[in-house]
Amino acid sequence: MNIHRRLRGVAYQAFYRLPHSVRRRIVRLVVPKYLVGAVAIIRDAEAPDPGRLLLLRQPPGRSWGLPAGLLKKAEPPAVGAARELAEESGVVIAPEELTPAVPNAIVHPKGWVDTVFLGSVPASANPLVVDGGEVLEAGWFPLDDLPRLTRNTEVVLGIYGLGPRATQPTR
């Protein structure tokens, strides 16, 4: 056994002898930190193929993105996705009606993780309501004629085979 392995073993033994609260503080200092968000990819249940997608225009307002936001402490991801969807667009959907996308989590290189959920609602029965501050505008867009998207939205949609990066590498 080499010296590095032996030292590593001794370090782990010492670490696990520490009280749980001390180990937790050490881990929080050493491990990279990530913000965790929830994203909703919502389709219009009434639209013919290829379908329509709900998008939002947020400040500064040059590109369009998906309903999304950070999770609150201890908030289940599907609950956060449903909450952000309602807050940002006025579309109300129960968390249990959202389906976890596959993959469900996307780790972004700049330090956040998005949990992604899929859903559909009939656009005619769900009027779009925005606050004019956090969200400037919301709309339903044909998947084959999407407006200018934020880079992150292009990446996320591309992972699920949608949008301009559907056939391109995601990073």
Side-chain angles (χ1 to χ4, degrees):
M1 185 186 302
N2 69 31
I3 190 74
H4 295 293
R5 260 189 158 161
R6 216 175 288 168
L7 287 174
R8 186 174 181 207
V10 169
Y12 269 111
Q13 288 174 13
F15 176 78
Y16 283 112
R17 286 190 188 118
L18 296 170
H20 178 74
S21 61
V22 174
R23 290 195 320 251
R24 186 174 166 150
R25 281 190 214 120
I26 291 170
V27 168
R28 285 188 173 187
L29 287 172
V30 175
V31 174
K33 296 177 182 49
Y34 288 92
L35 297 173
V36 180
V39 178
I41 299 175
I42 305 298
R43 291 180 182 243
D44 176 1
E46 302 168 323
D49 281 338
R52 293 193 313 166
L53 198 60
L54 175 63
L55 296 172
L56 311 173
R57 190 170 62 85
Q58 297 177 294
R62 292 185 288 271
S63 302
W64 291 78
L66 295 165
L70 295 177
L71 293 177
K72 295 180 178 180
K73 187 174 184 174
E75 181 177 43
V79 172
R83 175 184 52 77
E84 287 292 339
L85 175 63
E87 287 176 2
E88 294 181 346
S89 71
V91 173
V92 177
I93 188 169
E96 57 272 8
E97 292 179 29
L98 293 170
T99 303
V102 178
N104 183 235
I106 301 170
V107 179
H108 297 276
K110 296 211 175 176
W112 77 91
V113 177
D114 279 329
T115 56
V116 183
F117 293 87
L118 309 174
S120 66
V121 298
S124 65
N126 288 277
L128 300 177
V129 179
V130 298
D131 64 12
E134 181 183 3
V135 177
L136 303 173
E137 189 177 3
W140 294 98
F141 294 90
L143 278 164
D144 60 356
D145 190 24
L146 295 173
R148 178 178 167 188
L149 302 172
T150 66
R151 182 185 183 289
N152 287 333
T153 297
E154 284 186 6
V155 169
V156 169
L157 289 177
I159 289 169
Y160 302 104
L162 303 169
R165 293 186 185 216
T167 57
Q168 299 175 7
T170 57
R171 298 223 195 316

